[in-house]
């Protein structure tokens, strides 16, 4: 997955909140009527899709600020609503977003074949099935951060937005590794000639 560059005030290029394409951005601002004084309102237009975002006092207000990547295209359908709601509120309430992402992870591990009742137990079961250590660490990261949002502990999520933002990156990483890559390999494998596939089956039998 390519690096995500979130919208940033007066930045010349970033990932558009509308089309999610990394694109050049064109900026202008509104003046007070009859003057050349900056009103505090800025307009940003994506050079790729032509859609606009509106900013006030250096903060995006329309559409609602979402400084994190869109969900992975292979994120299971029952996880999408939680991811999108968390993305919509993360700038205003990092703790609430982290709690939603914990729920998203709980549903995601269920889609990976576990019960979905206890995240910690599910991760342990996946590890026993040979889960790569990097994916286990990503899952545990999301579990711990989300749990601290629900039951505040040593992590003060409001004081470190990067912690909340990283949850989205971790979820997309897990989906890429556990869902997208196996799907791509299966698609490529299935285009092999029938004779070759039968030879492989015979060998493995």
């Amino acid at each position: 997955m390519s690096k995500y560059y979130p919208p940033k005030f007066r930045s010349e290029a970033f990932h558009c909140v509308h089309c999610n394409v990394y694109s050049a951005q064109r900026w202008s601002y509104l003046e007070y009527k009859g003057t050349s004084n900056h009103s505090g309102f800025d307009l940003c237009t994506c050079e790729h899709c032509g859609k606009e975002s509106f900013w006030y006092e250096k903060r995006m207000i329309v559409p609602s600020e979402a400084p994190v990547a869109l969900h992975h295209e292979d994120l299971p359908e029952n996880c999408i609503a939680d991811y999108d709601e968390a993305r919509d509120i993360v700038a205003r309430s990092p703790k609430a977003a982290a709690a939603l992402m914990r729920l998203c992870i709980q549903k995601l591990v269920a889609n990976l074949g576990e019960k979905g009742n206890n995240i910690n137990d599910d991760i342990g079961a996946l590890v026993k099935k040979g889960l790569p250590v990097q994916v286990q660490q990503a899952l545990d990261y999301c579990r711990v951060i989300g749990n601290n949002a629900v039951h505040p502990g040593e992590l003060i999520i409001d004081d470190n937005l990067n912690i909340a933002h990283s949850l989205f990156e971790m979820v997309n990483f897990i989906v890429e590794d556990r869902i997208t890559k196996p799907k791509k390999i299966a698609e490529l494998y299935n285009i092999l000639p029938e004779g070759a596939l039968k030879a492989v089956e015979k060998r493995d039998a």
Side-chain angles (χ1 to χ4, degrees), residues 120-152:
N120 196 46
D121 291 346
D122 288 340
I123 295 172
L126 287 168
V127 169
K128 290 178 181 178
K129 295 176 182 177
L131 187 73
V133 64
Q134 296 92 339
V135 181
Q136 170 259 308
Q137 290 173 345
L139 283 166
D140 277 321
Y141 181 91
C142 296
R143 175 183 62 82
V144 171
I145 299 300
N147 192 57
N148 275 273
V150 180
H151 306 289

Side-chain angles (χ1 to χ4, degrees), residues 9-10 27-32 38-43 54-59 61:
F9 182 68
R10 285 288 170 180
W27 291 87
S28 58
Y29 64 88
L30 302 178
E31 300 174 348
Y32 285 111
H38 194 307
S39 65
F41 286 94
D42 289 81
L43 174 66
F54 296 86
W55 301 62
Y56 180 68
E57 298 294 347
K58 301 181 180 181
R59 182 172 180 174
I61 56 173

Side-chain angles (χ1 to χ4, degrees), residues 100-112:
L100 279 167
M101 290 304 289
R102 187 176 193 274
L103 179 58
C104 181
I105 280 289
Q106 192 163 345
K107 293 177 180 178
L108 179 56
V109 294
N111 279 277
L112 296 179

Side-chain angles (χ1 to χ4, degrees), residues 24-135:
Q25 305 291 326
R26 184 173 69 255
W27 291 87
S28 58
Y29 64 88
L30 302 178
E31 300 174 348
Y32 285 111
K33 186 176 181 180
T35 74
S36 58
N37 297 327
H38 194 307
S39 65
F41 286 94
D42 289 81
L43 174 66
C44 180
T45 306
C46 174
E47 294 283 9
H48 180 263
C49 68
K51 292 185 177 180
E52 301 168 332
S53 58
F54 296 86
W55 301 62
Y56 180 68
E57 298 294 347
K58 301 181 180 181
R59 182 172 180 174
M60 187 191 303
I61 56 173
V62 179
S64 57
E65 190 173 14
V68 291
L70 293 172
H71 65 76
H72 196 291
E73 61 180 6
D74 287 329
L75 181 69
E77 189 173 350
N78 66 333
C79 302
I80 292 175
D82 297 319
Y83 186 105
D84 286 347
E85 184 176 349
R87 182 174 180 266
D88 187 55
I89 65 172
V90 65
R92 300 188 298 278
S93 179
K95 283 190 295 188
L100 279 167
M101 290 304 289
R102 187 176 193 274
L103 179 58
C104 181
I105 280 289
Q106 192 163 345
K107 293 177 180 178
L108 179 56
V109 294
N111 279 277
L112 296 179
E114 301 307 320
K115 296 178 180 179
N117 296 323
N118 183 295
I119 299 177
N120 196 46
D121 291 346
D122 288 340
I123 295 172
L126 287 168
V127 169
K128 290 178 181 178
K129 295 176 182 177
L131 187 73
V133 64
Q134 296 92 339
V135 181

